[in-house]
Amino acid sequence: MSPTTSIALVARSQGNIYTLSFVPKSHLFYCYASDQQAIAKEAGRRIGTVREQACTLIFFIGGHKDASTVSAWAVSVIDFAFIFLFVCKSCFFLSEMGRKFFVGGNWKCNGTTEDVKKIVATLNAGELPSTDIVEVVVSPPFVFLTTVKSELRPEIQVAAQNCWVKKGGAFTGEVSAEMLANLGVPWVILGHSERRALLSETNEFVGDKVAYALSQGLKVIACVGETLEQREAGTTMEVVAAQTKAIADKISSWDNVVLAYEPVWAIGTGKVASPAQAQEVHAGLRKWFEENISAEVSATTRIIYGGSVSGSNCKELAGQPDVDGFLVGGASLKPEFIDIIKAAEVK
């Protein structure tokens, strides 16, 4: 059953709670917080973690001097006006707590100056959903980052495809997080399976890279995923949980991290995880967050899917409840990337 969201207005005085509207007691969740945004945040957490129950959100409306004057029906006109404004604000904050759809385009090691100009022109001319609906980030090769950033429409952000694990120095061929921040590049992709496999980046090394990038003010698209052999052995969740834990062990906040689940066997192969397979792993990762980090992180962290996403399969994948977007490879170089971005409207 989908969660049924209703609002019970209550007043608080000297630690006591007085209900201003009647709701079934079994449905109440009391949110102890002193400010509206914190209350809305707690309410969002409750929605995210109670997926199979009807739940009622409880908002505290500031205290009354004389608790004895508060009753279910005897509230002053001023109180009602205050309550109305408070609920409007709280509902606004609550709406902001939803997981905004995220679409990343990983251009990998592709393109010439002319190719990049064509891709940028296509994106600039495309009809895209509002930024209230979807966040779009494209990741060109390092040599094109500044060009793409300066010529691309402002609502599309850019990401680097990698950065070094520590401060720059005598590390030939590497690019530091400080350099990216200096260029105004807000995002970086870390832990992609191609780097894990071809350059032997371990879970712990990826965790260190994510932590350092965050410390320098970058936002991170952190990649996890299993090989075909691991899937056939039935160890998918063990693998992605270990990869996620290695990151969790090194960071204190997930606010600026998007987790990308990319089954290695589906990257660039034309094979794609079925919507049910993708949903199963995404739900498993969300459960892992709840059990090992917090219910709030579970409810708010965006988990996106990558692996042969195309214009033909994106809507069905986007319709899965725990799929919060995509990390797109080859298709991000083509006009169909616009269609993939529009899949956000399915939500």
Side-chain angles (χ1 to χ4, degrees):
M1 178 173 64
S2 298
T4 300
T5 304
S6 59
I7 298 174
L9 304 177
V10 300
R12 180 182 58 184
S13 177
Q14 299 176 347
N16 296 315
I17 299 171
Y18 300 88
T19 305
L20 301 180
S21 64
F22 294 110
V23 292
K25 196 168 184 179
S26 62
H27 290 176
L28 301 187
F29 285 121
Y30 293 100
C31 307
Y32 292 93
S34 59
D35 67 274
Q36 296 168 10
Q37 191 163 11
I39 293 170
K41 192 173 185 180
E42 172 67 6
R45 183 179 76 82
R46 294 294 187 177
I47 290 176
T49 57
V50 188
R51 296 180 178 277
E52 303 302 325
Q53 301 176 29
C55 65
T56 300
L57 311 181
I58 304 303
F59 292 92
F60 282 135
I61 313 301
H64 284 251
K65 291 181 180 179
D66 183 2
S68 65
T69 64
V70 180
S71 69
W73 304 104
V75 183
S76 69
V77 173
I78 294 177
D79 282 333
F80 274 121
F82 176 76
I83 289 167
F84 176 78
L85 291 174
F86 179 87
V87 172
C88 287
K89 282 189 175 183
S90 295
C91 288
F92 170 77
F93 282 125
L94 184 58
S95 69
E96 292 297 296
M97 289 302 298
R99 298 191 301 268
K100 184 187 292 186
F101 206 77
F102 184 100
V103 178
N106 182 8
W107 297 2
K108 303 189 180 184
C109 189
N110 289 300
T112 63
T113 301
E114 290 305 311
D115 293 333
V116 168
K117 287 181 179 178
K118 291 177 182 177
I119 296 169
V120 169
T122 298
L123 291 172
N124 285 343
E127 185 177 337
L128 301 181
S130 161
T131 53
D132 293 334
I133 296 174
V134 63
E135 185 171 9
V136 183
V137 177
V138 295
S139 186
F142 281 123
V143 293
F144 299 126
L145 266 174
T146 54
T147 299
V148 173
K149 183 177 182 295
S150 63
E151 297 183 4
L152 198 59
R153 58 202 290 179
E155 62 267 40
I156 300 180
Q157 303 171 77
V158 295
Q161 295 179 18
N162 180 52
C163 68
W164 183 232
V165 70
K166 59 180 74 173
K167 187 175 180 179
F171 306 106
T172 302
E174 290 293 341
V175 173
S176 71
E178 291 90 343
M179 292 175 182
L180 297 177
N182 181 252
L183 290 175
V185 175
W187 287 89
V188 62
I189 299 172
L190 295 174
H192 195 281
S193 63
E194 290 158 1
R195 296 191 63 86
R196 290 177 186 265
L198 300 176
L199 299 173
S200 302
E201 293 193 357
T202 64
N203 291 349
E204 291 69 27
F205 188 66
V206 172
D208 287 334
K209 291 174 75 171
V210 171
Y212 191 77
L214 291 173
S215 76
Q216 298 307 305
L218 298 181
K219 299 177 183 180
V220 176
I221 303 168
C223 303
V224 300
E226 84 284 9
T227 64
L228 181 60
E229 292 76 18
Q230 290 165 334
R231 171 161 283 274
E232 290 178 342
T235 60
T236 293
M237 280 313 305
E238 292 176 31
V239 171
V240 297
Q243 292 168 336
T244 305
K245 182 179 184 300
I247 297 170
D249 287 345
K250 301 294 175 65
I251 68 176
S252 58
S253 172
W254 286 81
D255 290 349
N256 291 319
V257 180
V258 169
L259 191 66
Y261 166 59
E262 294 196 300
V264 180
W265 49 272
I267 298 175
T269 62
K271 297 179 180 179
V272 60
S274 69
Q277 287 175 318
Q279 168 59 23
E280 180 182 26
V281 177
H282 284 227
L285 284 166
R286 208 169 294 289
K287 182 179 179 182
W288 186 91
F289 277 126
E290 183 175 353
E291 293 176 347
N292 295 276
I293 310 296
S294 74
E296 180 184 344
V297 168
S298 173
T300 58
T301 300
R302 289 178 289 184
I303 306 175
I304 62 177
Y305 171 79
S308 297
V309 177
S310 67
S312 61
N313 61 31
C314 60
K315 289 185 178 180
E316 191 175 5
L317 286 164
Q320 303 305 305
D322 288 298
V323 174
D324 301 318
F326 305 117
L327 184 56
V328 185
S332 68
L333 303 169
K334 304 173 184 177
E336 69 177 306
F337 188 54
I338 300 292
D339 297 324
I340 296 172
I341 295 171
K342 288 181 178 180
E345 296 171 334
V346 170
K347 294 290 190 185

